[in-house]
Amino acid sequence: MLDYIIVGSGLAGIAFAETALNNDKNILVISDTSQNSSIIAGGLYNPVILKRFSEVWQASEQLGILTEFYSELEKKLTLKFDYRMPLLRKFYSVEEQNNWFTASDKPNLSKFLSTNLITKKWEAIPSPHNFGEVLYSGYVDTSLLVNSYQHYLISKECFHEETFNYTDLIINNEFVTYKNFKAKNIVFAEGFGMLLNPFFNKLPLDGTKGELLLIKAPKLNLDVIVKSSIFILPVGNDLYKVGATYNWEDKTNIPTEAGKKELIDNLKELITCDFEIIEHHAGVRPTVKDRRPMLGAHPIYKNLFVLNGLGTRGVMLAPAMAKMLFNHIEKQDELNPYVDIKRFKAFASNPYHNE
């Protein structure tokens, strides 16, 4: 008898699997390659929503859990994939500078927004109005993390690469059976793939397509993350991730010429040096209209759980949300109403009713 079957091995699935293993639980992770948003993600984490100058929900708590989680995982896998790096917001006017200082005076933002303007000049990024620095920022090499963790699970004989067949799931009061496996609980962490899940697909998962470029720019010489209408993230060897687009209509993982053009146009507005496009990726983020994660038990089947809706902040949210859901299942801790799927009243009353 397993403690958990976990469906999905993106950031959410990894975070829950590792949390369960660290608590001496027996698990099986089942996943295919249909969802790639965790692998191709920029992997940024920062505690401030710069577009609106507001704090990310529970930012301090999430950063604390994130730091410990990825540090311990790096030790276990003997790999480096978490990189602390300053994130600089380019200012285009004195007004933007003033808005920054106004925001940095807010009690919930003062610890995250530096009041010291960054005046350093990068030759390929004109910046007459300088930069503001977001503290406690960085990025996770999500591709390395996802692939390495999958190999780790394989070495522990607790990973099956297959497309989950929902018709093979038999639900009992005390356990579930899937093919030859029995488990006390099953956690669905499928990202945008949840739309195919008959138990949870009536939840309002929206999905936002994002496209990202990997460029080579030897003359950029950038050692920080720069955020403007896009972000530029240095990953070493004169390579940089550039992203990202937001498309609410197209739900495919296929890169588009329109997405590439948008990124190139924004990049040319930001930098003056030549660059070469090395790779072009696309994926669908598991977003929710109210911009909150979705955690909780199925209204009818109490040993079926969902961990989804991490959206654009999967790196930052995953460890904290996995811990919250695990403690809810194992210790009966109440889920925070902010993320509990009970907030969707129609689903809570009838999960098979199409909202």
Side-chain angles (χ1 to χ4, degrees), residues 283-318:
V284 182
R285 313 172 185 93
T287 52
V288 185
K289 287 191 169 108
D290 65 6
R291 296 193 177 99
R292 304 186 211 166
M294 299 191 295
L295 281 66
H298 191 276
I300 298 171
Y301 306 116
K302 301 306 181 182
N303 43 15
L304 272 60
F305 298 88
V306 66
L307 173 55
N308 210 313
L310 306 190
T312 62
R313 298 186 178 275
V315 162
M316 192 165 167
L317 280 167

PDB file of all heavy atoms in Angstrom, residues 283-318:
ATOM      1  N   GLY A 283       4.854  27.083 -24.031  1.00  0.00           N
ATOM      2  CA  GLY A 283       4.146  26.194 -23.112  1.00  0.00           C
ATOM      3  C   GLY A 283       2.932  26.911 -22.554  1.00  0.00           C
ATOM      4  O   GLY A 283       2.820  28.136 -22.650  1.00  0.00           O
ATOM      5  N   VAL A 284       2.014  26.146 -21.978  1.00  0.00           N
ATOM      6  CA  VAL A 284       0.794  26.733 -21.413  1.00  0.00           C
ATOM      7  C   VAL A 284       0.876  26.684 -19.894  1.00  0.00           C
ATOM      8  O   VAL A 284       0.936  25.604 -19.296  1.00  0.00           O
ATOM      9  CB  VAL A 284      -0.468  25.998 -21.912  1.00  0.00           C
ATOM     10  CG1 VAL A 284      -1.724  26.668 -21.338  1.00  0.00           C
ATOM     11  CG2 VAL A 284      -0.517  25.994 -23.432  1.00  0.00           C
ATOM     12  N   ARG A 285       0.896  27.852 -19.296  1.00  0.00           N
ATOM     13  CA  ARG A 285       0.939  27.942 -17.833  1.00  0.00           C
ATOM     14  C   ARG A 285      -0.436  27.587 -17.253  1.00  0.00           C
ATOM     15  O   ARG A 285      -1.457  28.008 -17.795  1.00  0.00           O
ATOM     16  CB  ARG A 285       1.302  29.357 -17.386  1.00  0.00           C
ATOM     17  CG  ARG A 285       2.487  29.990 -18.099  1.00  0.00           C
ATOM     18  CD  ARG A 285       2.565  31.447 -17.680  1.00  0.00           C
ATOM     19  NE  ARG A 285       3.587  32.219 -18.360  1.00  0.00           N
ATOM     20  CZ  ARG A 285       3.391  32.927 -19.472  1.00  0.00           C
ATOM     21  NH1 ARG A 285       2.182  32.941 -20.028  1.00  0.00           N
ATOM     22  NH2 ARG A 285       4.365  33.631 -20.012  1.00  0.00           N
ATOM     23  N   PRO A 286      -0.467  26.899 -16.114  1.00  0.00           N
ATOM     24  CA  PRO A 286      -1.761  26.589 -15.488  1.00  0.00           C
ATOM     25  C   PRO A 286      -2.246  27.777 -14.651  1.00  0.00           C
ATOM     26  O   PRO A 286      -2.012  27.867 -13.453  1.00  0.00           O
ATOM     27  CB  PRO A 286      -1.442  25.380 -14.612  1.00  0.00           C
ATOM     28  CG  PRO A 286       0.006  25.550 -14.256  1.00  0.00           C
ATOM     29  CD  PRO A 286       0.658  26.237 -15.428  1.00  0.00           C
ATOM     30  N   THR A 287      -2.921  28.696 -15.310  1.00  0.00           N
ATOM     31  CA  THR A 287      -3.386  29.908 -14.623  1.00  0.00           C
ATOM     32  C   THR A 287      -4.866  29.795 -14.264  1.00  0.00           C
ATOM     33  O   THR A 287      -5.603  29.004 -14.847  1.00  0.00           O
ATOM     34  CB  THR A 287      -3.164  31.145 -15.500  1.00  0.00           C
ATOM     35  OG1 THR A 287      -3.749  30.914 -16.795  1.00  0.00           O
ATOM     36  CG2 THR A 287      -1.680  31.416 -15.688  1.00  0.00           C
ATOM     37  N   VAL A 288      -5.262  30.608 -13.309  1.00  0.00           N
ATOM     38  CA  VAL A 288      -6.646  30.648 -12.835  1.00  0.00           C
ATOM     39  C   VAL A 288      -7.102  32.103 -12.923  1.00  0.00           C
ATOM     40  O   VAL A 288      -6.316  33.020 -12.705  1.00  0.00           O
ATOM     41  CB  VAL A 288      -6.749  30.139 -11.384  1.00  0.00           C
ATOM     42  CG1 VAL A 288      -8.207  30.061 -10.932  1.00  0.00           C
ATOM     43  CG2 VAL A 288      -6.085  28.775 -11.252  1.00  0.00           C
ATOM     44  N   LYS A 289      -8.365  32.315 -13.217  1.00  0.00           N
ATOM     45  CA  LYS A 289      -8.841  33.684 -13.446  1.00  0.00           C
ATOM     46  C   LYS A 289      -8.652  34.574 -12.219  1.00  0.00           C
ATOM     47  O   LYS A 289      -8.399  35.769 -12.351  1.00  0.00           O
ATOM     48  CB  LYS A 289     -10.314  33.658 -13.868  1.00  0.00           C
ATOM     49  CG  LYS A 289     -10.475  33.145 -15.306  1.00  0.00           C
ATOM     50  CD  LYS A 289     -11.874  33.364 -15.843  1.00  0.00           C
ATOM     51  CE  LYS A 289     -11.885  33.097 -17.352  1.00  0.00           C
ATOM     52  NZ  LYS A 289     -12.546  31.897 -17.748  1.00  0.00           N
ATOM     53  N   ASP A 290      -8.754  34.002 -11.023  1.00  0.00           N
ATOM     54  CA  ASP A 290      -8.556  34.847  -9.831  1.00  0.00           C
ATOM     55  C   ASP A 290      -7.091  34.885  -9.385  1.00  0.00           C
ATOM     56  O   ASP A 290      -6.768  35.399  -8.317  1.00  0.00           O
ATOM     57  CB  ASP A 290      -9.467  34.419  -8.676  1.00  0.00           C
ATOM     58  CG  ASP A 290      -9.151  33.018  -8.144  1.00  0.00           C
ATOM     59  OD1 ASP A 290      -8.157  32.403  -8.582  1.00  0.00           O
ATOM     60  OD2 ASP A 290      -9.914  32.536  -7.277  1.00  0.00           O
ATOM     61  N   ARG A 291      -6.195  34.330 -10.229  1.00  0.00           N
ATOM     62  CA  ARG A 291      -4.740  34.374 -10.021  1.00  0.00           C
ATOM     63  C   ARG A 291      -4.292  33.670  -8.731  1.00  0.00           C
ATOM     64  O   ARG A 291      -3.266  34.024  -8.153  1.00  0.00           O
ATOM     65  CB  ARG A 291      -4.226  35.824 -10.004  1.00  0.00           C
ATOM     66  CG  ARG A 291      -4.405  36.572 -11.303  1.00  0.00           C
ATOM     67  CD  ARG A 291      -3.584  37.841 -11.282  1.00  0.00           C
ATOM     68  NE  ARG A 291      -3.675  38.564 -12.530  1.00  0.00           N
ATOM     69  CZ  ARG A 291      -4.472  39.597 -12.742  1.00  0.00           C
ATOM     70  NH1 ARG A 291      -5.272  40.017 -11.771  1.00  0.00           N
ATOM     71  NH2 ARG A 291      -4.487  40.219 -13.901  1.00  0.00           N
ATOM     72  N   ARG A 292      -5.052  32.693  -8.285  1.00  0.00           N
ATOM     73  CA  ARG A 292      -4.679  31.975  -7.068  1.00  0.00           C
ATOM     74  C   ARG A 292      -4.504  30.488  -7.353  1.00  0.00           C
ATOM     75  O   ARG A 292      -5.182  29.937  -8.221  1.00  0.00           O
ATOM     76  CB  ARG A 292      -5.767  32.134  -6.004  1.00  0.00           C
ATOM     77  CG  ARG A 292      -6.124  33.555  -5.656  1.00  0.00           C
ATOM     78  CD  ARG A 292      -7.106  33.520  -4.496  1.00  0.00           C
ATOM     79  NE  ARG A 292      -8.035  34.624  -4.498  1.00  0.00           N
ATOM     80  CZ  ARG A 292      -9.134  34.660  -3.759  1.00  0.00           C
ATOM     81  NH1 ARG A 292      -9.437  33.617  -2.989  1.00  0.00           N
ATOM     82  NH2 ARG A 292      -9.939  35.699  -3.792  1.00  0.00           N
ATOM     83  N   PRO A 293      -3.636  29.827  -6.596  1.00  0.00           N
ATOM     84  CA  PRO A 293      -3.507  28.371  -6.727  1.00  0.00           C
ATOM     85  C   PRO A 293      -4.797  27.660  -6.338  1.00  0.00           C
ATOM     86  O   PRO A 293      -5.690  28.241  -5.711  1.00  0.00           O
ATOM     87  CB  PRO A 293      -2.377  28.025  -5.746  1.00  0.00           C
ATOM     88  CG  PRO A 293      -1.637  29.298  -5.548  1.00  0.00           C
ATOM     89  CD  PRO A 293      -2.658  30.389  -5.658  1.00  0.00           C
ATOM     90  N   MET A 294      -4.868  26.383  -6.717  1.00  0.00           N
ATOM     91  CA  MET A 294      -6.033  25.559  -6.402  1.00  0.00           C
ATOM     92  C   MET A 294      -5.573  24.317  -5.654  1.00  0.00           C
ATOM     93  O   MET A 294      -4.872  23.475  -6.217  1.00  0.00           O
ATOM     94  CB  MET A 294      -6.777  25.167  -7.683  1.00  0.00           C
ATOM     95  CG  MET A 294      -7.302  26.361  -8.457  1.00  0.00           C
ATOM     96  SD  MET A 294      -8.446  25.918  -9.810  1.00  0.00           S
ATOM     97  CE  MET A 294      -7.363  25.012 -10.902  1.00  0.00           C
ATOM     98  N   LEU A 295      -5.963  24.222  -4.383  1.00  0.00           N
ATOM     99  CA  LEU A 295      -5.605  23.091  -3.541  1.00  0.00           C
ATOM    100  C   LEU A 295      -6.854  22.545  -2.889  1.00  0.00           C
ATOM    101  O   LEU A 295      -7.774  23.299  -2.560  1.00  0.00           O
ATOM    102  CB  LEU A 295      -4.647  23.518  -2.415  1.00  0.00           C
ATOM    103  CG  LEU A 295      -3.165  23.725  -2.698  1.00  0.00           C
ATOM    104  CD1 LEU A 295      -2.931  24.907  -3.625  1.00  0.00           C
ATOM    105  CD2 LEU A 295      -2.419  23.939  -1.385  1.00  0.00           C
ATOM    106  N   GLY A 296      -6.864  21.223  -2.680  1.00  0.00           N
ATOM    107  CA  GLY A 296      -7.945  20.678  -1.879  1.00  0.00           C
ATOM    108  C   GLY A 296      -8.388  19.302  -2.312  1.00  0.00           C
ATOM    109  O   GLY A 296      -7.880  18.720  -3.272  1.00  0.00           O
ATOM    110  N   ALA A 297      -9.355  18.784  -1.567  1.00  0.00           N
ATOM    111  CA  ALA A 297      -9.901  17.451  -1.813  1.00  0.00           C
ATOM    112  C   ALA A 297     -11.117  17.546  -2.716  1.00  0.00           C
ATOM    113  O   ALA A 297     -11.839  18.549  -2.734  1.00  0.00           O
ATOM    114  CB  ALA A 297     -10.297  16.800  -0.487  1.00  0.00           C
ATOM    115  N   HIS A 298     -11.346  16.481  -3.461  1.00  0.00           N
ATOM    116  CA  HIS A 298     -12.551  16.381  -4.270  1.00  0.00           C
ATOM    117  C   HIS A 298     -13.774  16.405  -3.351  1.00  0.00           C
ATOM    118  O   HIS A 298     -13.747  15.811  -2.265  1.00  0.00           O
ATOM    119  CB  HIS A 298     -12.515  15.070  -5.072  1.00  0.00           C
ATOM    120  CG  HIS A 298     -13.558  14.981  -6.130  1.00  0.00           C
ATOM    121  ND1 HIS A 298     -14.847  14.565  -5.857  1.00  0.00           N
ATOM    122  CD2 HIS A 298     -13.505  15.252  -7.460  1.00  0.00           C
ATOM    123  CE1 HIS A 298     -15.545  14.584  -6.982  1.00  0.00           C
ATOM    124  NE2 HIS A 298     -14.760  14.988  -7.965  1.00  0.00           N
ATOM    125  N   PRO A 299     -14.832  17.107  -3.724  1.00  0.00           N
ATOM    126  CA  PRO A 299     -16.006  17.215  -2.839  1.00  0.00           C
ATOM    127  C   PRO A 299     -16.664  15.880  -2.506  1.00  0.00           C
ATOM    128  O   PRO A 299     -17.282  15.735  -1.450  1.00  0.00           O
ATOM    129  CB  PRO A 299     -16.969  18.110  -3.637  1.00  0.00           C
ATOM    130  CG  PRO A 299     -16.105  18.828  -4.606  1.00  0.00           C
ATOM    131  CD  PRO A 299     -14.976  17.909  -4.937  1.00  0.00           C
ATOM    132  N   ILE A 300     -16.535  14.898  -3.396  1.00  0.00           N
ATOM    133  CA  ILE A 300     -17.172  13.589  -3.171  1.00  0.00           C
ATOM    134  C   ILE A 300     -16.151  12.543  -2.739  1.00  0.00           C
ATOM    135  O   ILE A 300     -16.366  11.804  -1.776  1.00  0.00           O
ATOM    136  CB  ILE A 300     -17.904  13.125  -4.449  1.00  0.00           C
ATOM    137  CG1 ILE A 300     -19.023  14.107  -4.806  1.00  0.00           C
ATOM    138  CG2 ILE A 300     -18.470  11.713  -4.256  1.00  0.00           C
ATOM    139  CD1 ILE A 300     -19.660  13.854  -6.157  1.00  0.00           C
ATOM    140  N   TYR A 301     -15.038  12.473  -3.450  1.00  0.00           N
ATOM    141  CA  TYR A 301     -14.016  11.447  -3.189  1.00  0.00           C
ATOM    142  C   TYR A 301     -12.895  12.053  -2.336  1.00  0.00           C
ATOM    143  O   TYR A 301     -12.038  12.788  -2.843  1.00  0.00           O
ATOM    144  CB  TYR A 301     -13.468  10.897  -4.501  1.00  0.00           C
ATOM    145  CG  TYR A 301     -14.548  10.392  -5.417  1.00  0.00           C
ATOM    146  CD1 TYR A 301     -14.777  10.993  -6.644  1.00  0.00           C
ATOM    147  CD2 TYR A 301     -15.349   9.304  -5.057  1.00  0.00           C
ATOM    148  CE1 TYR A 301     -15.769  10.535  -7.498  1.00  0.00           C
ATOM    149  CE2 TYR A 301     -16.347   8.836  -5.890  1.00  0.00           C
ATOM    150  CZ  TYR A 301     -16.557   9.462  -7.107  1.00  0.00           C
ATOM    151  OH  TYR A 301     -17.549   8.999  -7.933  1.00  0.00           O
ATOM    152  N   LYS A 302     -12.901  11.757  -1.058  1.00  0.00           N
ATOM    153  CA  LYS A 302     -12.061  12.465  -0.101  1.00  0.00           C
ATOM    154  C   LYS A 302     -10.592  12.066  -0.153  1.00  0.00           C
ATOM    155  O   LYS A 302      -9.767  12.667   0.537  1.00  0.00           O
ATOM    156  CB  LYS A 302     -12.609  12.261   1.326  1.00  0.00           C
ATOM    157  CG  LYS A 302     -14.040  12.753   1.504  1.00  0.00           C
ATOM    158  CD  LYS A 302     -14.212  14.210   1.075  1.00  0.00           C
ATOM    159  CE  LYS A 302     -15.640  14.711   1.278  1.00  0.00           C
ATOM    160  NZ  LYS A 302     -15.818  16.102   0.811  1.00  0.00           N
ATOM    161  N   ASN A 303     -10.254  11.028  -0.928  1.00  0.00           N
ATOM    162  CA  ASN A 303      -8.833  10.680  -1.064  1.00  0.00           C
ATOM    163  C   ASN A 303      -8.269  11.084  -2.426  1.00  0.00           C
ATOM    164  O   ASN A 303      -7.201  10.649  -2.814  1.00  0.00           O
ATOM    165  CB  ASN A 303      -8.596   9.191  -0.803  1.00  0.00           C
ATOM    166  CG  ASN A 303      -9.639   8.305  -1.460  1.00  0.00           C
ATOM    167  OD1 ASN A 303     -10.381   8.752  -2.328  1.00  0.00           O
ATOM    168  ND2 ASN A 303      -9.689   7.043  -1.051  1.00  0.00           N
ATOM    169  N   LEU A 304      -9.001  11.938  -3.149  1.00  0.00           N
ATOM    170  CA  LEU A 304      -8.520  12.554  -4.380  1.00  0.00           C
ATOM    171  C   LEU A 304      -8.237  14.029  -4.113  1.00  0.00           C
ATOM    172  O   LEU A 304      -9.118  14.752  -3.597  1.00  0.00           O
ATOM    173  CB  LEU A 304      -9.557  12.434  -5.508  1.00  0.00           C
ATOM    174  CG  LEU A 304      -9.536  11.181  -6.384  1.00  0.00           C
ATOM    175  CD1 LEU A 304      -9.755   9.924  -5.557  1.00  0.00           C
ATOM    176  CD2 LEU A 304     -10.577  11.299  -7.498  1.00  0.00           C
ATOM    177  N   PHE A 305      -7.027  14.466  -4.467  1.00  0.00           N
ATOM    178  CA  PHE A 305      -6.618  15.847  -4.181  1.00  0.00           C
ATOM    179  C   PHE A 305      -6.058  16.511  -5.427  1.00  0.00           C
ATOM    180  O   PHE A 305      -5.563  15.837  -6.334  1.00  0.00           O
ATOM    181  CB  PHE A 305      -5.562  15.868  -3.070  1.00  0.00           C
ATOM    182  CG  PHE A 305      -6.042  15.336  -1.759  1.00  0.00           C
ATOM    183  CD1 PHE A 305      -5.951  13.978  -1.475  1.00  0.00           C
ATOM    184  CD2 PHE A 305      -6.609  16.178  -0.809  1.00  0.00           C
ATOM    185  CE1 PHE A 305      -6.410  13.468  -0.265  1.00  0.00           C
ATOM    186  CE2 PHE A 305      -7.074  15.674   0.401  1.00  0.00           C
ATOM    187  CZ  PHE A 305      -6.969  14.322   0.674  1.00  0.00           C
ATOM    188  N   VAL A 306      -6.142  17.825  -5.432  1.00  0.00           N
ATOM    189  CA  VAL A 306      -5.601  18.599  -6.550  1.00  0.00           C
ATOM    190  C   VAL A 306      -4.570  19.598  -6.021  1.00  0.00           C
ATOM    191  O   VAL A 306      -4.727  20.160  -4.932  1.00  0.00           O
ATOM    192  CB  VAL A 306      -6.724  19.330  -7.322  1.00  0.00           C
ATOM    193  CG1 VAL A 306      -7.396  20.403  -6.461  1.00  0.00           C
ATOM    194  CG2 VAL A 306      -6.196  19.940  -8.611  1.00  0.00           C
ATOM    195  N   LEU A 307      -3.502  19.774  -6.796  1.00  0.00           N
ATOM    196  CA  LEU A 307      -2.473  20.786  -6.527  1.00  0.00           C
ATOM    197  C   LEU A 307      -2.164  21.415  -7.876  1.00  0.00           C
ATOM    198  O   LEU A 307      -1.452  20.843  -8.689  1.00  0.00           O
ATOM    199  CB  LEU A 307      -1.231  20.137  -5.912  1.00  0.00           C
ATOM    200  CG  LEU A 307       0.015  21.014  -5.706  1.00  0.00           C
ATOM    201  CD1 LEU A 307      -0.313  22.244  -4.873  1.00  0.00           C
ATOM    202  CD2 LEU A 307       1.142  20.215  -5.071  1.00  0.00           C
ATOM    203  N   ASN A 308      -2.703  22.598  -8.111  1.00  0.00           N
ATOM    204  CA  ASN A 308      -2.647  23.161  -9.457  1.00  0.00           C
ATOM    205  C   ASN A 308      -2.793  24.682  -9.397  1.00  0.00           C
ATOM    206  O   ASN A 308      -2.904  25.264  -8.322  1.00  0.00           O
ATOM    207  CB  ASN A 308      -3.753  22.549 -10.333  1.00  0.00           C
ATOM    208  CG  ASN A 308      -3.381  22.480 -11.803  1.00  0.00           C
ATOM    209  OD1 ASN A 308      -2.896  23.451 -12.383  1.00  0.00           O
ATOM    210  ND2 ASN A 308      -3.602  21.336 -12.418  1.00  0.00           N
ATOM    211  N   GLY A 309      -2.760  25.298 -10.586  1.00  0.00           N
ATOM    212  CA  GLY A 309      -3.008  26.732 -10.689  1.00  0.00           C
ATOM    213  C   GLY A 309      -1.862  27.605 -10.214  1.00  0.00           C
ATOM    214  O   GLY A 309      -2.081  28.733  -9.780  1.00  0.00           O
ATOM    215  N   LEU A 310      -0.626  27.104 -10.302  1.00  0.00           N
ATOM    216  CA  LEU A 310       0.516  27.894  -9.821  1.00  0.00           C
ATOM    217  C   LEU A 310       0.913  28.986 -10.801  1.00  0.00           C
ATOM    218  O   LEU A 310       1.720  29.859 -10.461  1.00  0.00           O
ATOM    219  CB  LEU A 310       1.714  26.981  -9.530  1.00  0.00           C
ATOM    220  CG  LEU A 310       1.456  25.809  -8.574  1.00  0.00           C
ATOM    221  CD1 LEU A 310       2.768  25.139  -8.192  1.00  0.00           C
ATOM    222  CD2 LEU A 310       0.689  26.247  -7.342  1.00  0.00           C
ATOM    223  N   GLY A 311       0.384  28.935 -12.004  1.00  0.00           N
ATOM    224  CA  GLY A 311       0.516  30.035 -12.950  1.00  0.00           C
ATOM    225  C   GLY A 311       1.947  30.397 -13.295  1.00  0.00           C
ATOM    226  O   GLY A 311       2.784  29.543 -13.571  1.00  0.00           O
ATOM    227  N   THR A 312       2.240  31.694 -13.236  1.00  0.00           N
ATOM    228  CA  THR A 312       3.561  32.202 -13.616  1.00  0.00           C
ATOM    229  C   THR A 312       4.558  32.122 -12.470  1.00  0.00           C
ATOM    230  O   THR A 312       5.726  32.456 -12.658  1.00  0.00           O
ATOM    231  CB  THR A 312       3.463  33.655 -14.087  1.00  0.00           C
ATOM    232  OG1 THR A 312       2.972  34.468 -13.011  1.00  0.00           O
ATOM    233  CG2 THR A 312       2.524  33.788 -15.274  1.00  0.00           C
ATOM    234  N   ARG A 313       4.125  31.691 -11.303  1.00  0.00           N
ATOM    235  CA  ARG A 313       4.994  31.722 -10.126  1.00  0.00           C
ATOM    236  C   ARG A 313       5.215  30.329  -9.538  1.00  0.00           C
ATOM    237  O   ARG A 313       5.319  30.153  -8.329  1.00  0.00           O
ATOM    238  CB  ARG A 313       4.414  32.662  -9.062  1.00  0.00           C
ATOM    239  CG  ARG A 313       4.315  34.092  -9.554  1.00  0.00           C
ATOM    240  CD  ARG A 313       3.881  35.085  -8.502  1.00  0.00           C
ATOM    241  NE  ARG A 313       3.853  36.425  -9.060  1.00  0.00           N
ATOM    242  CZ  ARG A 313       4.905  37.227  -9.146  1.00  0.00           C
ATOM    243  NH1 ARG A 313       6.074  36.821  -8.684  1.00  0.00           N
ATOM    244  NH2 ARG A 313       4.808  38.425  -9.677  1.00  0.00           N
ATOM    245  N   GLY A 314       5.318  29.349 -10.418  1.00  0.00           N
ATOM    246  CA  GLY A 314       5.463  27.973  -9.956  1.00  0.00           C
ATOM    247  C   GLY A 314       6.684  27.733  -9.106  1.00  0.00           C
ATOM    248  O   GLY A 314       6.627  27.009  -8.099  1.00  0.00           O
ATOM    249  N   VAL A 315       7.812  28.327  -9.464  1.00  0.00           N
ATOM    250  CA  VAL A 315       9.050  28.137  -8.699  1.00  0.00           C
ATOM    251  C   VAL A 315       8.879  28.590  -7.263  1.00  0.00           C
ATOM    252  O   VAL A 315       9.338  27.932  -6.329  1.00  0.00           O
ATOM    253  CB  VAL A 315      10.211  28.904  -9.379  1.00  0.00           C
ATOM    254  CG1 VAL A 315      11.372  29.092  -8.418  1.00  0.00           C
ATOM    255  CG2 VAL A 315      10.688  28.151 -10.614  1.00  0.00           C
ATOM    256  N   MET A 316       8.190  29.709  -7.087  1.00  0.00           N
ATOM    257  CA  MET A 316       8.034  30.296  -5.755  1.00  0.00           C
ATOM    258  C   MET A 316       6.902  29.636  -4.974  1.00  0.00           C
ATOM    259  O   MET A 316       7.008  29.392  -3.770  1.00  0.00           O
ATOM    260  CB  MET A 316       7.781  31.791  -5.897  1.00  0.00           C
ATOM    261  CG  MET A 316       7.889  32.579  -4.603  1.00  0.00           C
ATOM    262  SD  MET A 316       8.004  34.340  -4.960  1.00  0.00           S
ATOM    263  CE  MET A 316       7.730  35.010  -3.312  1.00  0.00           C
ATOM    264  N   LEU A 317       5.823  29.297  -5.676  1.00  0.00           N
ATOM    265  CA  LEU A 317       4.643  28.763  -4.993  1.00  0.00           C
ATOM    266  C   LEU A 317       4.744  27.278  -4.661  1.00  0.00           C
ATOM    267  O   LEU A 317       4.228  26.832  -3.634  1.00  0.00           O
ATOM    268  CB  LEU A 317       3.404  28.978  -5.865  1.00  0.00           C
ATOM    269  CG  LEU A 317       2.754  30.358  -5.850  1.00  0.00           C
ATOM    270  CD1 LEU A 317       1.763  30.484  -6.999  1.00  0.00           C
ATOM    271  CD2 LEU A 317       2.052  30.610  -4.525  1.00  0.00           C
ATOM    272  N   ALA A 318       5.384  26.498  -5.528  1.00  0.00           N
ATOM    273  CA  ALA A 318       5.307  25.042  -5.413  1.00  0.00           C
ATOM    274  C   ALA A 318       5.707  24.498  -4.042  1.00  0.00           C
ATOM    275  O   ALA A 318       4.955  23.713  -3.447  1.00  0.00           O
ATOM    276  CB  ALA A 318       6.127  24.379  -6.520  1.00  0.00           C
TER     277      ALA A 318
END
